[in-house]
Amino acid sequence: MIYIQEAILHIFDLNSNEPIFSFAGLDITEKFTLDYIHAMIEKVEDSDNMKTGMLADTNPLIQTFSTIEEDFIETTKILTEKFFSITKINPEIPAADLLFVHFTLDEVPCLGLFKLNYSDSITHHVSYEEETLTNQLIINRSILPSARQAIQEGMVLNLMNMEYHVIEKKHMIDELAEKIYYFTELFLEDKPQPSLKENISIIKKAVQKTGKAFNDAEFQVLADTKEALVHSMTEENVIDNQVIAETLYGDNYAKKEKFFEEINEMGYVDRAPAEVAVAGPKYSKQKFRLDNGIEISIPLELYKDPEVVEFINNPDGTTSVIIKNIEKIKNLF
């Protein structure tokens, strides 16, 4: 259960390149405001891009975050000043407003920080000059994302233990001459664990490299990997690399060793929390694109049913796919 206690919006002025602080909170009695705030929290908590971290006791922001409940408005100004001091000198980072929310999640006090990037939109402007009324088109360059739109960066911080959930995007930092996750590395001064999406990507790359080293058919190994991932997420709500390795390689210790070597090099976090519902519907099907342009989508539960589909390795090195026992075909035009 989410209970919103207070919220405030601080603006980045495109003309002066400085923040415009609000000295009062948002009106959270307005339904559309509450709905918008709830949507922002869900965009962080329900994303497969969400990363988890824990601020160390020595982190310089700990003291600032500890004053949120005592003086919400002034504390958010301090945080805004630090955030905009990073973004205003790095033009690759999109300009944005910052939405701060003090709320409880299942009775645990939390702080939400959401970066609302600007976008351009055309609107009308009515002018009246020399007794002539004229309607003109103008560009509004400070349109905020709607409740349905994705946001690139946002954080939910547990104020009790300083554990945070974050979604973020890499941007070019001029001083470093490279793209980094500035939200965590420069603003929070911390490094979170990989997200669910990143962990799955690491598993996929490790399987591909292992398969290539042992001349395995990539399409088959990746299909088995997806099945193992879904099983691990469904049964245990984690991605267990031991389960993945056992499922794919059994008693082949050489392949297991290569697989573990690859995932360790890429920074995989073993038994990372994962829910198949968060990972999305794409994990409910096996999807193949054949070199002749044909695409096949098979429900996961039917993929290994020999009465439904069969993959045959031909002597000439090609593969045949047989779809069996079809009673009716529907065109999805």
Side-chain angles (χ1 to χ4, degrees), residues 176-208:
L176 303 176
E178 65 173 321
K179 289 187 175 184
I180 66 168
Y181 289 116
Y182 78 93
F183 193 108
T184 51
E185 294 183 38
L186 298 183
F187 176 66
L188 291 181
E189 299 183 47
D190 194 60
K191 186 173 182 179
Q193 295 181 348
S195 66
L196 169 59
K197 191 172 183 179
E198 288 172 331
N199 273 325
I200 290 175
S201 178
I202 289 171
I203 291 283
K204 179 182 176 181
K205 290 176 183 177
V207 166
Q208 287 174 313

Side-chain angles (χ1 to χ4, degrees), residues 19-35:
I20 300 176
F21 295 120
S22 178
F23 287 81
L26 294 172
D27 183 0
I28 58 174
T29 64
E30 291 281 358
K31 184 179 183 303
F32 85 89
T33 302
L34 277 179
D35 289 345

Side-chain angles (χ1 to χ4, degrees), residues 7 16 22 45 49 80 82 128 140 161 163-164 181 184 188 201-202 218 239 247 260 302 305 322:
S16 66
S22 178
E45 293 296 297
N49 283 314
T80 297
K82 179 176 182 180
Y128 194 81
N140 188 329
N161 61 11
E163 179 182 354
Y164 63 88
Y181 289 116
T184 51
L188 291 181
S201 178
I202 289 171
E218 184 176 287
I239 300 178
T247 303
F260 289 130
L302 300 178
D305 187 343
I322 302 177

Side-chain angles (χ1 to χ4, degrees), residues 91-134:
E92 289 289 318
I93 301 175
D97 291 347
L98 290 184
L99 172 63
F100 291 88
V101 184
H102 181 208
F103 66 100
T104 58
L105 178 60
D106 297 330
E107 300 185 358
V108 176
C110 296
L111 172 70
L113 192 172
F114 310 100
K115 182 171 180 279
L116 308 178
N117 289 349
Y118 300 148
S119 61
D120 293 351
S121 186
I122 305 295
T123 188
H124 63 253
H125 175 70
V126 180
S127 63
Y128 194 81
E129 296 180 9
E130 299 180 358
E131 300 184 357
T132 301
L133 187 150
T134 306

Side-chain angles (χ1 to χ4, degrees), residues 53-309:
M54 181 82 74
L55 296 181
D57 293 339
T58 55
N59 187 287
L61 281 180
I62 288 285
Q63 182 60 40
T64 304
F65 285 134
S66 68
T67 63
I68 281 289
E69 297 183 86
E70 299 171 11
D71 197 341
F72 176 69
I73 293 176
E74 287 304 315
T75 303
T76 63
K77 289 180 186 178
I78 295 170
L79 294 169
T80 297
E81 191 70 61
K82 179 176 182 180
F83 197 96
F84 284 154
S85 71
I86 298 168
T87 62
K88 71 182 181 182
I89 61 174
N90 292 288
E92 289 289 318
I93 301 175
D97 291 347
L98 290 184
L99 172 63
F100 291 88
V101 184
H102 181 208
F103 66 100
T104 58
L105 178 60
D106 297 330
E107 300 185 358
V108 176
C110 296
L111 172 70
L113 192 172
F114 310 100
K115 182 171 180 279
L116 308 178
N117 289 349
Y118 300 148
S119 61
D120 293 351
S121 186
I122 305 295
T123 188
H124 63 253
H125 175 70
V126 180
S127 63
Y128 194 81
E129 296 180 9
E130 299 180 358
E131 300 184 357
T132 301
L133 187 150
T134 306
N135 297 329
Q136 300 285 0
L137 293 175
I138 61 171
I139 298 177
N140 188 329
R141 300 192 181 279
S142 302
I143 300 298
L144 302 181
S146 72
R148 290 189 292 271
Q149 286 178 278
I151 58 172
Q152 293 182 351
E153 290 145 325
M155 176 188 73
V156 171
L157 173 71
N158 182 322
L159 292 171
M160 297 287 288
N161 61 11
M162 293 297 155
E163 179 182 354
Y164 63 88
H165 294 165
V166 64
I167 56 174
E168 58 179 343
K169 185 176 180 180
K170 283 186 175 182
H171 286 292
M172 177 64 71
I173 301 301
D174 288 357
E175 184 180 359
L176 303 176
E178 65 173 321
K179 289 187 175 184
I180 66 168
Y181 289 116
Y182 78 93
F183 193 108
T184 51
E185 294 183 38
L186 298 183
F187 176 66
L188 291 181
E189 299 183 47
D190 194 60
K191 186 173 182 179
Q193 295 181 348
S195 66
L196 169 59
K197 191 172 183 179
E198 288 172 331
N199 273 325
I200 290 175
S201 178
I202 289 171
I203 291 283
K204 179 182 176 181
K205 290 176 183 177
V207 166
Q208 287 174 313
K209 288 186 176 183
T210 302
K212 187 174 182 179
F214 290 89
N215 296 315
D216 292 333
E218 184 176 287
F219 86 90
Q220 185 65 62
V221 175
L222 288 180
D224 291 341
T225 303
K226 177 180 278 191
E227 188 173 29
L229 281 168
V230 170
H231 175 77
S232 184
M233 288 189 285
T234 303
E235 296 299 319
E236 301 186 51
N237 281 349
V238 298
I239 300 178
D240 191 330
N241 63 354
Q242 296 288 341
V243 171
I244 304 297
E246 286 295 331
T247 303
L248 296 179
Y249 308 123
D251 294 331
N252 192 320
Y253 296 106
K255 288 185 179 180
K256 282 184 180 178
E257 185 177 0
K258 175 64 174 174
F259 171 74
F260 289 130
E261 177 186 319
E262 293 294 343
I263 62 171
N264 289 335
E265 283 186 7
M266 288 185 277
Y268 172 76
V269 177
D270 188 24
R271 297 189 65 81
E275 295 182 40
V276 69
V278 175
K282 66 180 179 179
Y283 291 97
S284 66
K285 299 179 185 294
Q286 297 282 14
K287 296 184 178 182
F288 304 93
R289 181 180 292 114
L290 313 185
D291 60 3
N292 58 11
I294 294 174
E295 296 186 6
I296 304 172
S297 178
I298 306 170
L300 204 62
E301 65 272 16
L302 300 178
Y303 169 66
K304 286 195 172 180
D305 187 343
E307 297 300 315
V308 176
V309 62

